[in-house]
């Protein structure tokens, strides 16, 4: 997690009294620089924090690295706005120092001067933040105060004010509630939110804990608790608890979930108790006594189902009954399969529970041995690099012989030696260069692992092939300590002189690379199969697959069988992984007429996109409304997004509400109304226009990369319809409605730069029901993002995109039939700068 990514840190005084030099205004002309989403002039930014209104200004503090464009040196950056739309960057507010990094938290205005930091006539603004100790990693809650509207700050001499001795205790959100201060704070790895009260912000009393509940596939962070009226009715108020999670989000990686319930001043009681009963059906295997007719290979599954955790395994939960399949027999180093007898597909779904390692099925992977080498360029055996030349500190004087101190388990290398730049941690850098060689075979194969920081990113961890002074091939790891085969087709370079370079320029998380067994060969090496999966096999092919979430908790999953009715099928449990989390758990296979839903699918999500994390709301707002903002990024690839000299933007500010949808109360969001102040020029209107099969442009007047689009569609007989933005040669971002699945979706697989992370290209989906045959959309398009609000803010998807500068066309489309634009209004947007 980002809290653990410690890199080299610089010294700043603990007492912050002098005003630092202000950041220069950003030029706003760099590629992908947002126009109406806040970005600092330069350097890394992540979570918003300290959101408070005071003396006519909305304060936006945020996690910030004052020394670079990657995570580290965490401090509080600062910007202010009169209207939540126009922002002005101010000097650094709370810097890190010799002893601490300044993690997320909140800010309040102490009107009653309970803390004694201000006066009745000039109440202090008080920041409550998590201090992360540089000495031992301990996280505790600390204070700083300002009496000049946040321009200068003094850290409290009595810090920390709340310390429970934990390294996973962070992100306090504080508010004035019922005549005292209320703190909502995360016990991150325990998946709990803890509530405290205080009369003076300095002494805190534990009230209660909430959780675990909802999605728990990653750490819990950045909680926020606030009341909202239901359907605008002042007589009916509910409380909303927002909890961010990383990883384990609905679209993969980072996300924010929410719970609706009541808060009695001590405890939060959710309306949904988290219970779930899956659809009934015919149980084909429950593993209660034996494997029955299911057959095993290898040793991983043993001779019979497990009835609890196996030796060396963490506690297992979520089992239905007492028995279940568990491939941890012999530990993670064992492999094998467990396969059902054939059965006829006569139901719509097969539902089951799954857990264990997150190692998906790769149809391109192989279980065969790699091809023989024509020439071994390096095997890193013999205790030295031989004629390869190392610079910097990351490679040391000789190859590693396995896992280094502080590193997760490394696996997949051959022999006894390998390149491993985790020497002294991720903070070291360097380059390892081969002697010159002639490309004499069609393929260059090698094993690679470590960080996913491609060549071309600001700080790569990459293997690169250099010919005639130019990098002609490159490869990187997958944020994994498992080395796997990579292969380059070098037939076009036959006879050329070349060098290999192993480069580690990264000092952040996963800032290292692993390499071994570099060979020239006559055939390409295929990646190894390392899956831990449950597969549906028809006609000898895997047609459906599921994997665990690196968890010993089994959760419901489902395969859609409808297109295979009448076919013969098998269920196959596969464990081909020998490294960490190299096992799979499964239970209760049931043929049913409806799908089972996982915990993640049943959770309520603030945003269904991949790029909306750590949202928090403003305190002390004069009109009593609740406004929030979130970080537009995802920890899966946050350090690799192709922007410079800044990295990351905040979302637009959103107004929050609660609406009754069916028999449930749901969170709804819409951009703040003041965003209309950025509209420029006359709008483009489309009324009463049929969208036939295919796509068509809205014309030159609609072209742009900073747009606000409102549209109402009638479904008619179309399967899918909607908008294409950032459209250009070979590029488009699709924002559509799928009538067959009743889902809003954003497809960014062809949105421009998608090559910096395998987790980036994706189709993101949110459930949305058609109302009276119509679908309403509000789409905010900026140079590197789209924010989509469907159904009057009921379904929201936020996603980053990195298109070319000339990809600015807007189109409408329809597939499988016709749709109709009842009304579409498109505005061009100006800059947020004051």
């Amino acid at each position: 997690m980002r809290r653990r990514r410690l890199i080299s840190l610089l010294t700043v005084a603990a007492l912050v009294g002098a005003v630092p030099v202000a950041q220069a205004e950003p030029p706003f002309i760099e590629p992908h620089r947002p126009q109406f989403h806040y970005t600092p002039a330069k350097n890394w930014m992540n979570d918003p924090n300290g959101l408070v209104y005071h003396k006519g200004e909305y304060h936006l503090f945020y996690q910030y690295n004052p020394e670079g464009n990657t995570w580290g040196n965490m401090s509080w950056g600062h910007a202010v706005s009169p209207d939540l739309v126009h922002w002005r960057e101010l000097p650094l507010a709370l810097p890190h120092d010799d002893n601490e990094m300044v993690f997320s938290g909140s800010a309040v205005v102490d009107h009653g001067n309970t803390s004694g930091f201000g006066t009745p006539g000039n109440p202090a603004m008080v920041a409550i933040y998590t201090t992360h100790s540089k000495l031992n990693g301990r996280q505790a809650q600390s204070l700083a105060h300002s009496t000049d509207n946040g321009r200068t700050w003094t850290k409290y001499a009595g810090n920390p004010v709340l310390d429970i001795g934990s390294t996973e205790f962070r992100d306090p959100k504080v508010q004035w509630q019922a005549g005292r201060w209320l703190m909502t704070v995360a016990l991150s790895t325990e998946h709990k939110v803890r509530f405290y009260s205080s009369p003076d912000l300095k002494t805190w009393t534990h009230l209660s804990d909430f959780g675990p509940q909802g999605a728990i596939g990653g750490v819990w962070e950045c909680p926020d608790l606030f009341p909202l009226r239901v359907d605008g009715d002042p007589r009916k108020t509910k409380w909303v608890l927002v909890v961010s999670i990383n990883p384990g989000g609905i679209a993969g990686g980072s996300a924010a979930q929410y719970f609706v319930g009541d808060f009695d001043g001590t405890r939060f009681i959710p309306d949904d108790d988290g219970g779930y009963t899956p659809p009934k059906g015919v149980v084909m295997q429950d593993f209660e006594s034996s494997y029955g007719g299911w057959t095993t290979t290898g040793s991983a599954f043993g001779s019979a189902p497990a009835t609890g955790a196996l030796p060396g395994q963490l506690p297992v939960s979520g089992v239905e009954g007492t028995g279940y399949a568990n491939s941890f027999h012999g530990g993670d180093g064992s492999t094998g399969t467990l396969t059902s007898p054939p059965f006829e597909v006569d139901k719509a779904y097969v539902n089951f529970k799954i857990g264990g390692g997150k190692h998906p099925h790769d149809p391109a992977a192989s279980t065969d041995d790699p091809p023989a080498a024509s020439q071994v360029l390096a095997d890193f055996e013999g205790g030295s690099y031989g004629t390869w030349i190392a610079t910097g500190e990351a490679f040391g004087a000789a190859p590693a012989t396995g896992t280094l101190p502080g590193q997760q388990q490394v696996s997949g290398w051959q022999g006894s030696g390998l390149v491993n730049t985790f020497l002294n941690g991720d903070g070291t850098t360097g380059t390892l260069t081969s002697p010159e060689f002639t490309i004499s075979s069609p393929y260059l194969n090698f094993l690679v692992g470590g960080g996913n920081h491609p060549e071309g990113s600001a700080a790569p961890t990459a293997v690169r092939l250099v010919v005639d002074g130019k990098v002609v091939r490159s490869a990187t790891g997958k944020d994994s300590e498992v080395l796997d085969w990579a292969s380059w087709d070098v037939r076009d370079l036959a006879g050329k002189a070349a060098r290999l370079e192993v480069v580690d320029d990264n000092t952040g998380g996963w800032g290292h690379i692993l390499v071994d067994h570099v060979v020239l060969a006559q055939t390409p090496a295929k990646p190894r199969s390392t899956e831990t999966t449950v597969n549906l096999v028809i006609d000898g092919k895997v047609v459906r697959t599921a994997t665990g979430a690196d968890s010993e908790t089994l959760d419901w999953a489902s395969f859609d069988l409808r297109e295979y009715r009448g076919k013969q099928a098998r269920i196959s449990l596969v464990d081909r992984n020998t490294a960490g989390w190299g096992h799979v758990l499964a239970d209760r296979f049931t043929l049913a007429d409806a799908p089972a839903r996982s915990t993640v699918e049943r959770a309520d999500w603030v945003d269904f996109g991949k790029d909306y994390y750590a949202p928090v709301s403003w305190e002390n707002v004069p009109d009593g409304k609740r406004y929030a903002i979130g970080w537009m990024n995802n920890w899966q690839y946050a350090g690799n997004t192709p922007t410079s000299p800044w990295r990351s933007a905040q979302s637009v500010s959103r107004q929050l509400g609660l609406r009754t949808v069916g028999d449930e109360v749901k969170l709804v969001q819409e951009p703040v109304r003041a965003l209309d102040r950025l509209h420029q020029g006359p709008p483009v209107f489309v009324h009463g226009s049929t969208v036939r099969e295919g796509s068509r442009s809205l014309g030159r007047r609609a072209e742009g990369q900073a747009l606000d689009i409102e549209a109402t569609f009638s479904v008619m007989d179309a399967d899918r319809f909607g908008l294409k933005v950032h459209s250009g040669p070979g590029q488009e971002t699709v924002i559509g409605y799928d009538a067959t699945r009743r889902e809003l979706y954003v497809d960014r697989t062809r949105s421009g730069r998608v090559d910096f992370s395998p987790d980036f290209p994706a189709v993101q989906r949110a459930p949305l029901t058609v109302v009276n045959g119509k679908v309403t959309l509000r789409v905010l398009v900026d140079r590197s993002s789209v924010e989509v609000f469907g159904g009057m803010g009921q379904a929201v998807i936020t996603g980053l995109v990195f298109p070319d500068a000339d990809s600015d066309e807007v189109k409408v489309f329809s597939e499988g039939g016709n749709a109709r634009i009842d009304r579409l209004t498109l505005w061009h947007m100006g800059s947020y700068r004051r």
Side-chain angles (χ1 to χ4, degrees):
M1 302 316 113
R2 72 188 191 280
R3 314 297 187 172
R4 300 173 185 157
R5 301 176 186 176
L6 299 180
I7 65 174
S8 57
L9 302 164
L10 302 177
T11 302
V12 180
L15 181 63
V16 188
V19 179
V21 177
Q23 298 281 3
E25 281 288 343
F28 277 57
I29 59 174
E30 306 99 331
H32 310 308
R33 172 75 81 167
Q35 295 300 287
F36 60 95
H37 291 82
Y38 177 76
T39 53
K42 63 179 182 179
N43 295 349
W44 169 277
M45 173 180 69
N46 57 281
D47 306 352
N49 41 235
L51 306 187
V52 67
Y53 179 87
H54 189 43
K55 295 182 178 180
E57 292 179 324
Y58 291 92
H59 292 262
L60 167 63
F61 299 95
Y62 46 86
Q63 292 288 276
Y64 184 67
N65 181 357
E67 279 109 45
N69 204 19
T70 57
W71 186 92
N73 310 306
M74 280 296 96
S75 307
W76 277 24
H78 191 193
V80 293
S81 170
D83 58 4
L84 294 171
V85 172
H86 296 88
W87 294 100
R88 177 164 56 97
E89 185 174 358
L90 294 180
L92 188 68
L94 298 178
H96 72 100
D97 59 32
D98 275 347
N99 300 311
E100 68 173 3
M101 284 197 285
V102 183
F103 280 1
S104 290
S106 52
V108 297
V109 179
D110 187 8
H111 291 289
N113 198 31
T114 63
S115 63
F117 291 145
T119 65
N122 186 27
M125 186 186 295
V126 182
I128 308 94
Y129 65 91
T130 295
T131 176
H132 178 99
S133 170
K134 294 179 181 178
L135 177 64
N136 56 25
R138 181 177 291 183
Q139 295 176 359
Q141 314 320 317
S142 294
L143 304 178
H145 69 271
S146 171
T147 54
D148 58 359
N149 204 18
R151 268 55 178 182
T152 59
W153 292 83
T154 301
K155 293 180 181 178
Y156 177 46
N159 283 339
V161 296
L162 181 57
D163 185 353
I164 63 172
S166 172
T167 58
E168 301 285 350
F169 177 53
R170 55 182 175 265
D171 309 336
K173 178 64 186 294
V174 173
Q175 59 190 291
W176 184 255
Q177 197 267 336
R180 47 67 190 281
W181 297 106
L182 173 69
M183 179 191 291
T184 307
V185 64
L187 297 172
S188 294
T189 55
E190 298 178 44
H191 307 114
K192 291 182 179 180
V193 170
R194 178 163 287 181
F195 301 103
Y196 290 89
S197 68
S198 172
D200 58 4
L201 296 170
K202 298 174 182 177
T203 57
W204 294 92
T205 300
H206 177 216
L207 298 175
S208 66
D209 292 352
F210 168 77
Q213 191 166 317
I216 56 172
V219 295
W220 279 16
E221 298 182 318
C222 304
D224 193 5
L225 178 72
F226 49 84
L228 288 174
R229 294 175 178 178
V230 179
D231 301 320
D233 186 348
R235 298 166 299 178
K236 187 176 182 181
T237 296
K238 284 286 185 179
W239 287 76
V240 179
L241 176 61
V242 175
V243 182
S244 290
I245 180 173
N246 176 59
I250 183 66
S254 313
Q257 63 182 321
Y258 72 92
F259 305 89
V260 177
D262 296 301
F263 184 72
D264 63 6
T266 300
R267 296 184 307 138
F268 176 77
I269 304 96
D271 292 346
D272 183 350
D273 65 4
Y276 177 66
T277 302
K280 294 182 178 179
V282 178
V283 177
M284 57 186 296
Q285 177 60 273
D286 60 9
F287 301 115
E288 285 304 288
S289 58
S290 70
Y291 287 139
W294 292 48
T295 58
T296 64
T297 65
S299 60
F301 291 92
S303 59
T307 56
L310 296 174
Q313 190 173 25
L314 296 169
V316 176
S317 61
V319 175
E320 300 289 312
T322 58
Y324 69 106
N326 185 345
S327 73
F328 197 77
H329 287 84
D332 277 335
S334 60
T335 61
T337 64
L338 175 63
T339 305
S340 76
F343 63 94
E344 182 176 345
V345 177
D346 58 1
K347 293 285 187 179
Y349 298 91
V350 58
N351 299 328
F352 56 96
K353 302 197 86 171
I354 185 171
K358 186 179 181 180
H359 307 288
H361 172 73
D362 180 357
S366 172
T367 59
D368 299 331
D369 292 331
S374 302
Q375 179 184 352
V376 177
L377 299 177
D379 59 10
F380 302 110
E381 303 294 313
S384 77
Y385 288 123
T387 55
W388 289 54
I389 299 174
T391 62
E393 300 176 341
F395 294 87
T401 56
T403 306
L404 294 174
Q407 188 174 24
Q408 298 176 42
Q409 178 187 349
V410 176
S411 64
W413 79 96
Q414 293 191 354
S416 59
L418 76 154
V419 173
N420 183 347
T421 68
F422 195 77
L423 187 66
N424 297 319
D426 278 333
T428 54
T429 61
T431 301
L432 181 67
T433 305
S434 77
E436 190 171 80
F437 63 93
T438 300
I439 297 177
S440 57
S441 297
Y443 297 93
L444 199 160
N445 302 330
F446 54 96
L447 290 163
V448 64
N452 181 11
H453 307 288
E455 174 69 14
S457 63
T461 53
V463 182
R464 55 196 190 195
L465 180 66
V466 180
V467 175
D468 295 332
K470 297 180 180 179
V471 177
V472 295
R473 303 284 191 278
S474 66
T476 188
K478 298 179 180 179
D479 288 352
S480 171
E481 305 293 21
V482 180
L483 287 86
D484 202 357
W485 286 108
S487 183
W488 292 330
D489 184 336
V490 291
R491 285 175 290 183
D492 61 316
L493 302 172
K496 292 272 191 179
R499 293 183 188 273
L500 280 167
E501 295 177 346
V502 182
V503 179
D504 177 357
D505 283 340
N506 199 292
T507 58
W510 285 105
H512 62 279
I513 188 167
L514 316 171
V515 178
D516 194 20
H517 207 67
V518 184
V519 301
L520 289 166
Q522 295 300 312
T523 55
K526 294 182 179 181
R528 297 176 176 135
S529 175
T530 57
E531 63 188 288
T532 52
T533 56
V534 173
N535 297 328
L536 177 69
V537 181
I538 294 178
D539 296 331
K541 296 182 179 179
V542 175
V543 297
R544 298 284 188 272
T545 184
T547 188
D550 287 350
S551 170
E552 305 291 20
T553 299
L554 288 88
D555 198 3
W556 286 105
S558 183
F559 289 155
D560 187 338
L561 306 178
R562 287 175 291 181
E563 66 179 287
Y564 302 110
R565 280 187 182 272
K567 292 267 191 178
Q568 292 288 303
R570 293 179 187 267
I571 299 292
S572 181
L573 280 61
V574 181
D575 176 357
R576 301 194 192 282
N577 199 293
T578 59
W581 286 105
H583 60 280
V584 63
L585 318 174
D587 197 12
R588 192 60 66 94
F589 287 86
T590 304
L591 293 166
D593 295 322
R597 300 173 66 217
S598 69
T599 301
V600 171
E601 292 170 323
R602 301 194 309 270
D604 287 318
W605 298 97
V606 178
D607 193 299
F608 287 81
K610 287 182 74 76
D611 298 307
Y612 189 75
Y613 190 65
V616 286
S617 61
W618 270 272
E619 294 299 325
N620 204 44
V621 173
D623 60 12
K625 294 179 180 177
R626 184 62 55 168
Y627 303 114
I629 197 169
W631 178 50
M632 288 204 304
N633 217 322
N634 192 309
W635 285 110
Q636 288 181 324
Y637 42 73
N640 295 333
T641 52
T643 62
S644 180
W646 86 101
R647 182 164 281 127
S648 291
Q650 304 293 349
S651 72
V652 297
S653 303
R654 303 176 180 181
Q655 182 175 339
L656 307 181
L658 289 175
R659 184 189 307 157
T660 303
V661 180
D663 58 354
E664 296 182 277
V665 175
K666 296 289 188 179
L667 184 70
V668 293
Q669 305 163 75
E670 60 181 359
V672 293
R673 292 183 180 179
L675 197 66
D676 295 352
R677 299 174 186 175
L678 299 184
H679 288 171
Q680 292 189 328
V684 176
F685 291 113
V686 179
H687 297 284
S689 176
T690 298
V691 185
R692 304 189 187 280
E693 182 90 21
S695 61
R696 62 179 172 87
S697 173
L698 290 183
R700 293 186 63 83
R701 288 186 56 229
E703 292 177 357
Q705 291 200 326
L707 306 168
D708 183 355
I709 306 171
E710 295 186 51
T712 300
F713 289 87
S714 289
V715 177
M716 299 178 69
D717 61 350
D719 292 334
R720 289 165 297 279
F721 58 87
L723 300 165
K724 296 181 179 180
V725 301
H726 288 306
S727 184
Q731 297 183 4
E732 62 185 15
T733 298
V734 182
I735 299 160
Y737 184 75
D738 189 329
T740 63
R741 299 176 58 155
R742 299 179 182 179
E743 289 177 334
L744 177 70
Y745 68 94
V746 173
D747 182 347
R748 69 176 183 197
T749 56
R750 300 175 64 243
S751 60
R753 284 288 309 274
V754 299
D755 60 345
F756 55 87
S757 169
D759 293 309
F760 187 80
V763 180
Q764 304 156 72
R765 300 179 179 274
L768 182 64
T769 302
V770 173
V771 178
N772 298 323
K774 300 183 186 300
V775 172
T776 61
L777 299 177
R778 175 87 179 269
V779 181
L780 301 178
V781 181
D782 211 338
R783 289 183 180 176
S784 54
S785 66
V786 292
E787 290 178 271
V788 184
F789 301 81
M792 305 299 290
Q794 178 183 328
V796 184
I797 297 176
T798 299
L800 295 176
V801 291
F802 299 100
D804 293 342
D806 58 354
S807 293
D808 59 1
E809 192 174 9
V810 179
K811 299 178 180 180
V812 292
F813 77 94
S814 183
E815 298 175 3
N818 298 334
R820 179 181 174 84
I821 301 174
D822 295 333
R823 179 182 177 89
L824 183 148
T825 307
L826 179 151
W827 292 90
H828 291 271
M829 298 291 284
S831 167
Y832 69 75
R833 290 184 298 172
R834 292 180 60 187

